[in-house]
Amino acid sequence: MRYKAVRGFKDILPGQVGTWRRLEEEAKLVFELYGYREIRVPILESTELFARGIGEDTDIVSKEMYTFRDRRGNDVAMRPEATASILRAFIEHKLYKGSPVHKVYTMGPMFRYERPQKGRRRQFHQIDAEIIGDPGPRSDSELIAMIMQLFSSLGLDDLELHINSLGCPHDRVPFRTKLKSYLKEYTSQLCPDCRERMDTNPLRVFDCKVERCIEIMKDAPTMLDFLCDDCLGHFNALKRDLEQLGMKYVVNSHLMRGLDYYTRTTFEVQTPELGAQNAIAGGGRYDNLMRDFGGPDTPAIGFAIGQERVVELLEEREGVGEQGPDLFLAALGRKAEDKAFVWLQELRKRGVWCEMEYQSSGLKAQMRHADRLNAKRVLIVGDDELAKGSGILRDMVTKEQMEISLDMVVDKVATIKERH
């Protein structure tokens, strides 16, 4: 029997990992410049945590979560998103008793049972960041500025920032009434899912990807027409901050996001290069979720980046390039092999990525090996070179080569690596 990965789950192979690491390391660098600290939360949580936080009527909870009962009969779920887990940890460990404002980030796999397609997997990866304790709108602006700085540092500058306000729970009562009244006129034309959403959560219809539903929603009432003075003031302050920072944005009154806990500010970062799955990041404010989980009444805002989609963008623009070693040691003869093996370990201790063959072979075979590894340089040393006290250092990019004294060779090679 030949085994294959489970449908919707995908291997990330060694030649692809470089782009993933670049994204993750750049995110850590940018986030920590803004004062964010890393938190790591479990993959398994109580099913009730997500049902309460995300919403019983959402597709994620009702159709997409991986849930099961453990051996003690507890209902557990593989996390479909990170925010609920972070707030659970925040409350459980009483982190709210420390600083009034916390900035945290996490990254890792999430799980949703949905139809696998381009940019969408059953195991997918997110980078998540949250500001807990500040009511905004300046923290909203900072969070958005940070995510756009990250994308810019990755060379992704041609993206669109879409913003909207979902108001507060009081604003939604008249809006839902008005929206349901509008949708009733089109009941027979809506897709089956939207006919169901119309009664359980009509805001979900804005998220539908069925073409006819999209057309119907173009003339639907929007939340912006129902904002109270406080929520409108919050949204206007956000726009003013973004303009002061020189950030372009689109006010998208149909942007609703997919989770029940959002309030006020919501946003997405979109690209025209990925077709229907055009959002590479999104988030918003969730001022009531901490209280709903039994914690103190604490405002918060956060976002999640879809790593698969960002990696796809980076690979389309830059190709899939695998990094190679700084140096390949091509040793010819027993004495040279023994000496090179010692140098190999010493160079690694000095921070030089170094490789060599352990099975004796000719120079041509070793040079082909170095080329396949994408080595930057090759140091060629045979028994004759050892006796003479000098080897040949070849640049595999420019093809230039030079003689190099084998006296203090580890120091010399490490110095060359540092200069480049």
Side-chain angles (χ1 to χ4, degrees):
M1 177 178 179
R2 299 183 66 180
Y3 294 102
K4 296 177 66 176
V6 175
R7 177 171 162 78
F9 293 71
K10 187 178 180 181
D11 299 306
I12 303 171
L13 302 177
Q16 302 166 323
V17 167
T19 308
W20 285 78
R21 287 181 60 182
R22 181 184 162 212
L23 168 59
E24 291 165 0
E25 289 168 5
E26 193 66 28
K28 290 180 180 181
L29 178 65
V30 172
F31 292 176
E32 289 173 10
L33 285 175
Y34 280 74
Y36 287 70
R37 297 187 299 164
E38 185 175 8
I39 183 172
R40 301 188 182 189
V41 290
I43 286 175
L44 280 183
E45 297 273 10
S46 163
T47 301
E48 175 61 24
L49 175 74
F50 300 114
R52 183 162 187 174
I54 297 172
E56 292 276 7
D57 297 325
T58 61
D59 287 347
I60 294 173
V61 171
S62 63
K63 300 176 183 178
E64 297 172 1
M65 281 207 303
Y66 280 93
T67 61
F68 59 93
R69 287 192 172 180
D70 66 15
R71 292 185 178 184
R72 301 191 68 176
N74 300 310
D75 287 318
V76 294
M78 298 171 73
R79 63 185 185 197
E81 56 97 49
T83 300
S85 295
I86 289 174
L87 289 196
R88 190 268 312 146
F90 194 87
I91 296 167
E92 181 176 343
H93 300 286
K94 296 182 172 62
L95 298 180
Y96 51 81
K97 289 187 174 181
S99 170
V101 177
H102 291 259
K103 300 177 183 181
V104 295
Y105 72 90
T106 193
M107 53 185 70
M110 312 292 163
F111 304 87
R112 295 182 192 174
Y113 189 89
E114 54 186 341
R115 185 170 65 86
Q117 54 187 293
K118 184 177 180 180
R120 193 183 290 269
R121 298 279 175 182
R122 289 174 177 169
Q123 176 180 305
F124 57 100
H125 298 76
Q126 287 186 342
I127 297 173
D128 183 282
E130 318 280 344
I131 300 177
I132 301 170
D134 189 278
R138 186 136 287 176
S139 57
D140 306 16
S141 310
E142 177 193 289
L143 195 81
I144 291 171
M146 182 176 76
I147 195 172
M148 298 309 286
Q149 180 175 331
L150 169 59
F151 290 140
S152 180
S153 69
L154 292 166
L156 303 176
D157 291 308
D158 53 344
L159 304 173
E160 277 193 352
L161 170 64
H162 289 236
I163 64 172
N164 191 22
S165 176
L166 300 183
C168 60
H170 297 296
D171 300 337
R172 291 195 196 176
V173 174
F175 173 59
R176 285 170 62 99
T177 301
K178 186 75 171 179
L179 181 58
K180 288 180 76 169
S181 176
Y182 173 82
L183 291 173
K184 282 182 179 178
E185 300 178 21
Y186 299 94
T187 301
S188 62
Q189 301 177 50
L190 293 170
C191 72
D193 283 342
C194 285
R195 284 199 292 271
E196 183 179 332
R197 291 167 182 153
M198 190 175 74
D199 294 322
T200 58
N201 194 338
L203 275 68
R204 288 273 168 268
V205 183
F206 282 103
D207 292 330
C208 186
K209 304 301 182 186
V210 175
E211 194 60 40
R212 180 56 188 155
C213 295
I214 292 173
E215 284 296 316
I216 290 171
M217 296 310 290
K218 284 182 179 178
D219 295 321
T222 68
M223 192 71 232
L224 293 180
D225 296 326
F226 291 82
L227 297 182
C228 64
D229 290 343
D230 285 346
C231 290
L232 182 59
H234 187 110
F235 191 52
N236 287 336
L238 168 67
K239 292 188 289 183
R240 185 173 62 249
D241 280 348
L242 295 178
E243 289 161 8
Q244 287 179 334
L245 295 173
M247 298 179 64
K248 295 180 180 179
Y249 61 84
V250 175
V251 175
N252 182 348
S253 61
H254 286 187
L255 178 62
M256 289 292 165
R257 305 294 299 143
L259 309 177
D260 276 358
Y261 54 62
Y262 284 116
T263 56
R264 291 192 169 177
T265 300
T266 186
F267 64 92
E268 275 188 358
V269 182
Q270 300 181 2
T271 173
E273 298 180 37
L274 296 179
Q277 304 297 334
N278 64 345
I280 61 172
R285 180 159 285 282
Y286 48 95
D287 289 340
N288 303 315
L289 188 56
M290 181 81 76
R291 183 192 62 206
D292 291 346
F293 279 170
D297 196 358
T298 306
I301 184 171
F303 68 75
I305 296 170
Q307 288 184 252
E308 277 80 359
R309 295 180 189 178
V310 176
V311 166
E312 185 179 341
L313 275 182
L314 293 173
E315 288 179 347
E316 284 181 358
R317 297 181 184 205
E318 303 168 2
V320 184
E322 188 171 358
Q323 288 291 322
D326 300 306
L327 181 71
F328 184 91
L329 292 170
L332 304 165
R334 181 59 182 272
K335 290 181 181 179
E337 289 173 1
D338 289 346
K339 199 71 175 177
F341 183 67
V342 174
W343 291 340
L344 184 75
Q345 312 311 320
E346 292 298 321
L347 284 164
R348 287 169 174 169
K349 290 176 183 177
R350 295 285 297 273
V352 178
W353 179 8
C354 194
E355 298 287 350
M356 69 174 288
E357 279 191 3
Y358 291 152
Q359 303 297 321
S360 299
S361 61
L363 180 60
K364 284 187 178 179
Q366 292 192 59
M367 294 301 288
R368 284 196 297 269
H369 188 180
D371 196 49
R372 284 194 295 269
L373 289 175
N374 200 24
K376 298 179 180 68
R377 296 173 189 80
V378 175
L379 177 60
I380 304 169
V381 180
D383 290 347
D384 291 343
E385 283 76 17
L386 277 182
K388 190 170 62 171
S390 64
I392 298 171
L393 186 65
R394 179 178 175 85
D395 189 308
M396 296 295 281
V397 177
T398 66
K399 308 304 180 185
E400 295 177 354
Q401 57 188 43
M402 57 181 284
E403 275 200 10
I404 181 171
S405 171
L406 298 180
D407 181 42
M408 305 289 287
V409 69
V410 170
D411 289 336
K412 291 171 183 174
V413 171
T415 301
I416 291 171
K417 191 256 184 183
E418 289 165 4
R419 288 205 306 264
H420 293 78

PDB file of all heavy atoms in Angstrom, residues 173-193:
ATOM      1  N   VAL A 173     -29.052  45.810  16.201  1.00  0.00           N
ATOM      2  CA  VAL A 173     -30.468  45.434  16.323  1.00  0.00           C
ATOM      3  C   VAL A 173     -31.294  46.041  15.188  1.00  0.00           C
ATOM      4  O   VAL A 173     -31.971  45.305  14.448  1.00  0.00           O
ATOM      5  CB  VAL A 173     -31.026  45.831  17.708  1.00  0.00           C
ATOM      6  CG1 VAL A 173     -32.529  45.568  17.759  1.00  0.00           C
ATOM      7  CG2 VAL A 173     -30.314  45.055  18.809  1.00  0.00           C
ATOM      8  N   PRO A 174     -31.277  47.362  14.987  1.00  0.00           N
ATOM      9  CA  PRO A 174     -32.050  47.912  13.870  1.00  0.00           C
ATOM     10  C   PRO A 174     -31.479  47.506  12.507  1.00  0.00           C
ATOM     11  O   PRO A 174     -32.238  47.345  11.537  1.00  0.00           O
ATOM     12  CB  PRO A 174     -31.963  49.424  14.081  1.00  0.00           C
ATOM     13  CG  PRO A 174     -30.749  49.637  14.934  1.00  0.00           C
ATOM     14  CD  PRO A 174     -30.653  48.439  15.800  1.00  0.00           C
ATOM     15  N   PHE A 175     -30.140  47.331  12.437  1.00  0.00           N
ATOM     16  CA  PHE A 175     -29.552  46.939  11.159  1.00  0.00           C
ATOM     17  C   PHE A 175     -30.007  45.543  10.747  1.00  0.00           C
ATOM     18  O   PHE A 175     -30.375  45.315   9.581  1.00  0.00           O
ATOM     19  CB  PHE A 175     -28.027  46.997  11.258  1.00  0.00           C
ATOM     20  CG  PHE A 175     -27.331  46.456  10.039  1.00  0.00           C
ATOM     21  CD1 PHE A 175     -27.562  47.014   8.785  1.00  0.00           C
ATOM     22  CD2 PHE A 175     -26.446  45.384  10.134  1.00  0.00           C
ATOM     23  CE1 PHE A 175     -26.930  46.512   7.649  1.00  0.00           C
ATOM     24  CE2 PHE A 175     -25.818  44.882   9.016  1.00  0.00           C
ATOM     25  CZ  PHE A 175     -26.054  45.445   7.766  1.00  0.00           C
ATOM     26  N   ARG A 176     -29.992  44.597  11.665  1.00  0.00           N
ATOM     27  CA  ARG A 176     -30.441  43.249  11.354  1.00  0.00           C
ATOM     28  C   ARG A 176     -31.903  43.232  10.903  1.00  0.00           C
ATOM     29  O   ARG A 176     -32.268  42.516   9.969  1.00  0.00           O
ATOM     30  CB  ARG A 176     -30.269  42.328  12.573  1.00  0.00           C
ATOM     31  CG  ARG A 176     -28.842  41.900  12.849  1.00  0.00           C
ATOM     32  CD  ARG A 176     -28.749  41.212  14.200  1.00  0.00           C
ATOM     33  NE  ARG A 176     -29.566  40.007  14.239  1.00  0.00           N
ATOM     34  CZ  ARG A 176     -29.092  38.767  14.065  1.00  0.00           C
ATOM     35  NH1 ARG A 176     -27.808  38.597  13.851  1.00  0.00           N
ATOM     36  NH2 ARG A 176     -29.892  37.729  14.122  1.00  0.00           N
ATOM     37  N   THR A 177     -32.730  44.036  11.569  1.00  0.00           N
ATOM     38  CA  THR A 177     -34.144  44.108  11.194  1.00  0.00           C
ATOM     39  C   THR A 177     -34.291  44.605   9.761  1.00  0.00           C
ATOM     40  O   THR A 177     -35.049  44.042   8.951  1.00  0.00           O
ATOM     41  CB  THR A 177     -34.899  45.043  12.155  1.00  0.00           C
ATOM     42  OG1 THR A 177     -34.775  44.554  13.490  1.00  0.00           O
ATOM     43  CG2 THR A 177     -36.375  45.136  11.774  1.00  0.00           C
ATOM     44  N   LYS A 178     -33.559  45.665   9.439  1.00  0.00           N
ATOM     45  CA  LYS A 178     -33.615  46.240   8.095  1.00  0.00           C
ATOM     46  C   LYS A 178     -33.063  45.257   7.057  1.00  0.00           C
ATOM     47  O   LYS A 178     -33.648  45.093   5.966  1.00  0.00           O
ATOM     48  CB  LYS A 178     -32.807  47.542   8.062  1.00  0.00           C
ATOM     49  CG  LYS A 178     -32.901  48.316   6.748  1.00  0.00           C
ATOM     50  CD  LYS A 178     -34.220  49.018   6.627  1.00  0.00           C
ATOM     51  CE  LYS A 178     -34.236  49.958   5.419  1.00  0.00           C
ATOM     52  NZ  LYS A 178     -35.538  50.638   5.270  1.00  0.00           N
ATOM     53  N   LEU A 179     -31.969  44.592   7.392  1.00  0.00           N
ATOM     54  CA  LEU A 179     -31.348  43.657   6.458  1.00  0.00           C
ATOM     55  C   LEU A 179     -32.250  42.454   6.204  1.00  0.00           C
ATOM     56  O   LEU A 179     -32.424  42.014   5.051  1.00  0.00           O
ATOM     57  CB  LEU A 179     -29.996  43.203   7.011  1.00  0.00           C
ATOM     58  CG  LEU A 179     -29.192  42.230   6.141  1.00  0.00           C
ATOM     59  CD1 LEU A 179     -28.909  42.829   4.770  1.00  0.00           C
ATOM     60  CD2 LEU A 179     -27.890  41.840   6.836  1.00  0.00           C
ATOM     61  N   LYS A 180     -32.877  41.918   7.247  1.00  0.00           N
ATOM     62  CA  LYS A 180     -33.763  40.769   7.068  1.00  0.00           C
ATOM     63  C   LYS A 180     -34.965  41.138   6.211  1.00  0.00           C
ATOM     64  O   LYS A 180     -35.413  40.348   5.370  1.00  0.00           O
ATOM     65  CB  LYS A 180     -34.232  40.249   8.439  1.00  0.00           C
ATOM     66  CG  LYS A 180     -33.145  39.538   9.214  1.00  0.00           C
ATOM     67  CD  LYS A 180     -33.634  39.043  10.564  1.00  0.00           C
ATOM     68  CE  LYS A 180     -34.482  37.807  10.439  1.00  0.00           C
ATOM     69  NZ  LYS A 180     -34.751  37.177  11.754  1.00  0.00           N
ATOM     70  N   SER A 181     -35.462  42.347   6.399  1.00  0.00           N
ATOM     71  CA  SER A 181     -36.574  42.813   5.583  1.00  0.00           C
ATOM     72  C   SER A 181     -36.169  42.887   4.107  1.00  0.00           C
ATOM     73  O   SER A 181     -36.939  42.502   3.213  1.00  0.00           O
ATOM     74  CB  SER A 181     -37.038  44.184   6.080  1.00  0.00           C
ATOM     75  OG  SER A 181     -38.055  44.705   5.259  1.00  0.00           O
ATOM     76  N   TYR A 182     -34.957  43.375   3.845  1.00  0.00           N
ATOM     77  CA  TYR A 182     -34.451  43.458   2.466  1.00  0.00           C
ATOM     78  C   TYR A 182     -34.292  42.058   1.871  1.00  0.00           C
ATOM     79  O   TYR A 182     -34.698  41.800   0.727  1.00  0.00           O
ATOM     80  CB  TYR A 182     -33.109  44.191   2.469  1.00  0.00           C
ATOM     81  CG  TYR A 182     -32.403  44.184   1.129  1.00  0.00           C
ATOM     82  CD1 TYR A 182     -32.737  45.092   0.127  1.00  0.00           C
ATOM     83  CD2 TYR A 182     -31.388  43.254   0.872  1.00  0.00           C
ATOM     84  CE1 TYR A 182     -32.090  45.073  -1.108  1.00  0.00           C
ATOM     85  CE2 TYR A 182     -30.737  43.236  -0.353  1.00  0.00           C
ATOM     86  CZ  TYR A 182     -31.090  44.142  -1.337  1.00  0.00           C
ATOM     87  OH  TYR A 182     -30.444  44.135  -2.556  1.00  0.00           O
ATOM     88  N   LEU A 183     -33.716  41.125   2.635  1.00  0.00           N
ATOM     89  CA  LEU A 183     -33.432  39.781   2.121  1.00  0.00           C
ATOM     90  C   LEU A 183     -34.712  39.002   1.824  1.00  0.00           C
ATOM     91  O   LEU A 183     -34.732  38.164   0.911  1.00  0.00           O
ATOM     92  CB  LEU A 183     -32.571  39.010   3.112  1.00  0.00           C
ATOM     93  CG  LEU A 183     -31.126  39.505   3.268  1.00  0.00           C
ATOM     94  CD1 LEU A 183     -30.436  38.769   4.415  1.00  0.00           C
ATOM     95  CD2 LEU A 183     -30.346  39.312   1.976  1.00  0.00           C
ATOM     96  N   LYS A 184     -35.782  39.268   2.561  1.00  0.00           N
ATOM     97  CA  LYS A 184     -37.037  38.549   2.335  1.00  0.00           C
ATOM     98  C   LYS A 184     -37.567  38.759   0.921  1.00  0.00           C
ATOM     99  O   LYS A 184     -38.242  37.890   0.367  1.00  0.00           O
ATOM    100  CB  LYS A 184     -38.087  38.971   3.366  1.00  0.00           C
ATOM    101  CG  LYS A 184     -37.879  38.324   4.726  1.00  0.00           C
ATOM    102  CD  LYS A 184     -38.966  38.727   5.714  1.00  0.00           C
ATOM    103  CE  LYS A 184     -38.741  38.050   7.068  1.00  0.00           C
ATOM    104  NZ  LYS A 184     -39.772  38.460   8.061  1.00  0.00           N
ATOM    105  N   GLU A 185     -37.267  39.903   0.334  1.00  0.00           N
ATOM    106  CA  GLU A 185     -37.708  40.180  -1.039  1.00  0.00           C
ATOM    107  C   GLU A 185     -37.016  39.274  -2.046  1.00  0.00           C
ATOM    108  O   GLU A 185     -37.473  39.134  -3.176  1.00  0.00           O
ATOM    109  CB  GLU A 185     -37.440  41.647  -1.387  1.00  0.00           C
ATOM    110  CG  GLU A 185     -38.163  42.645  -0.488  1.00  0.00           C
ATOM    111  CD  GLU A 185     -37.818  44.077  -0.851  1.00  0.00           C
ATOM    112  OE1 GLU A 185     -37.365  44.308  -2.007  1.00  0.00           O
ATOM    113  OE2 GLU A 185     -37.988  44.970   0.003  1.00  0.00           O
ATOM    114  N   TYR A 186     -35.868  38.679  -1.634  1.00  0.00           N
ATOM    115  CA  TYR A 186     -35.073  37.868  -2.575  1.00  0.00           C
ATOM    116  C   TYR A 186     -34.937  36.422  -2.102  1.00  0.00           C
ATOM    117  O   TYR A 186     -34.057  35.701  -2.584  1.00  0.00           O
ATOM    118  CB  TYR A 186     -33.675  38.481  -2.726  1.00  0.00           C
ATOM    119  CG  TYR A 186     -33.686  39.883  -3.273  1.00  0.00           C
ATOM    120  CD1 TYR A 186     -33.682  40.986  -2.414  1.00  0.00           C
ATOM    121  CD2 TYR A 186     -33.695  40.119  -4.642  1.00  0.00           C
ATOM    122  CE1 TYR A 186     -33.684  42.284  -2.907  1.00  0.00           C
ATOM    123  CE2 TYR A 186     -33.696  41.412  -5.149  1.00  0.00           C
ATOM    124  CZ  TYR A 186     -33.701  42.487  -4.268  1.00  0.00           C
ATOM    125  OH  TYR A 186     -33.707  43.769  -4.774  1.00  0.00           O
ATOM    126  N   THR A 187     -35.794  36.002  -1.190  1.00  0.00           N
ATOM    127  CA  THR A 187     -35.646  34.673  -0.590  1.00  0.00           C
ATOM    128  C   THR A 187     -35.494  33.576  -1.628  1.00  0.00           C
ATOM    129  O   THR A 187     -34.605  32.716  -1.534  1.00  0.00           O
ATOM    130  CB  THR A 187     -36.865  34.352   0.306  1.00  0.00           C
ATOM    131  OG1 THR A 187     -36.968  35.344   1.320  1.00  0.00           O
ATOM    132  CG2 THR A 187     -36.707  32.982   0.950  1.00  0.00           C
ATOM    133  N   SER A 188     -36.325  33.582  -2.636  1.00  0.00           N
ATOM    134  CA  SER A 188     -36.306  32.498  -3.626  1.00  0.00           C
ATOM    135  C   SER A 188     -35.044  32.518  -4.484  1.00  0.00           C
ATOM    136  O   SER A 188     -34.692  31.510  -5.107  1.00  0.00           O
ATOM    137  CB  SER A 188     -37.540  32.589  -4.534  1.00  0.00           C
ATOM    138  OG  SER A 188     -37.537  33.820  -5.258  1.00  0.00           O
ATOM    139  N   GLN A 189     -34.347  33.673  -4.535  1.00  0.00           N
ATOM    140  CA  GLN A 189     -33.159  33.795  -5.384  1.00  0.00           C
ATOM    141  C   GLN A 189     -31.852  33.521  -4.634  1.00  0.00           C
ATOM    142  O   GLN A 189     -30.807  33.363  -5.257  1.00  0.00           O
ATOM    143  CB  GLN A 189     -33.102  35.198  -5.996  1.00  0.00           C
ATOM    144  CG  GLN A 189     -34.314  35.546  -6.846  1.00  0.00           C
ATOM    145  CD  GLN A 189     -34.245  36.957  -7.374  1.00  0.00           C
ATOM    146  OE1 GLN A 189     -33.239  37.379  -7.936  1.00  0.00           O
ATOM    147  NE2 GLN A 189     -35.325  37.712  -7.201  1.00  0.00           N
ATOM    148  N   LEU A 190     -31.932  33.477  -3.309  1.00  0.00           N
ATOM    149  CA  LEU A 190     -30.729  33.231  -2.521  1.00  0.00           C
ATOM    150  C   LEU A 190     -30.337  31.757  -2.587  1.00  0.00           C
ATOM    151  O   LEU A 190     -31.187  30.879  -2.775  1.00  0.00           O
ATOM    152  CB  LEU A 190     -30.962  33.630  -1.063  1.00  0.00           C
ATOM    153  CG  LEU A 190     -31.170  35.115  -0.770  1.00  0.00           C
ATOM    154  CD1 LEU A 190     -31.629  35.301   0.674  1.00  0.00           C
ATOM    155  CD2 LEU A 190     -29.893  35.906  -1.038  1.00  0.00           C
ATOM    156  N   CYS A 191     -29.057  31.474  -2.409  1.00  0.00           N
ATOM    157  CA  CYS A 191     -28.594  30.088  -2.358  1.00  0.00           C
ATOM    158  C   CYS A 191     -29.122  29.432  -1.079  1.00  0.00           C
ATOM    159  O   CYS A 191     -29.523  30.125  -0.138  1.00  0.00           O
ATOM    160  CB  CYS A 191     -27.069  30.029  -2.418  1.00  0.00           C
ATOM    161  SG  CYS A 191     -26.239  30.574  -0.904  1.00  0.00           S
ATOM    162  N   PRO A 192     -29.156  28.104  -1.005  1.00  0.00           N
ATOM    163  CA  PRO A 192     -29.702  27.423   0.190  1.00  0.00           C
ATOM    164  C   PRO A 192     -29.013  27.861   1.486  1.00  0.00           C
ATOM    165  O   PRO A 192     -29.686  28.029   2.513  1.00  0.00           O
ATOM    166  CB  PRO A 192     -29.444  25.940  -0.109  1.00  0.00           C
ATOM    167  CG  PRO A 192     -29.432  25.861  -1.614  1.00  0.00           C
ATOM    168  CD  PRO A 192     -28.817  27.144  -2.080  1.00  0.00           C
ATOM    169  N   ASP A 193     -27.710  28.029   1.452  1.00  0.00           N
ATOM    170  CA  ASP A 193     -26.996  28.449   2.666  1.00  0.00           C
ATOM    171  C   ASP A 193     -27.459  29.826   3.124  1.00  0.00           C
ATOM    172  O   ASP A 193     -27.659  30.065   4.326  1.00  0.00           O
ATOM    173  CB  ASP A 193     -25.482  28.473   2.424  1.00  0.00           C
ATOM    174  CG  ASP A 193     -24.881  27.076   2.441  1.00  0.00           C
ATOM    175  OD1 ASP A 193     -25.526  26.155   2.950  1.00  0.00           O
ATOM    176  OD2 ASP A 193     -23.746  26.923   1.940  1.00  0.00           O
TER     177      ASP A 193
END
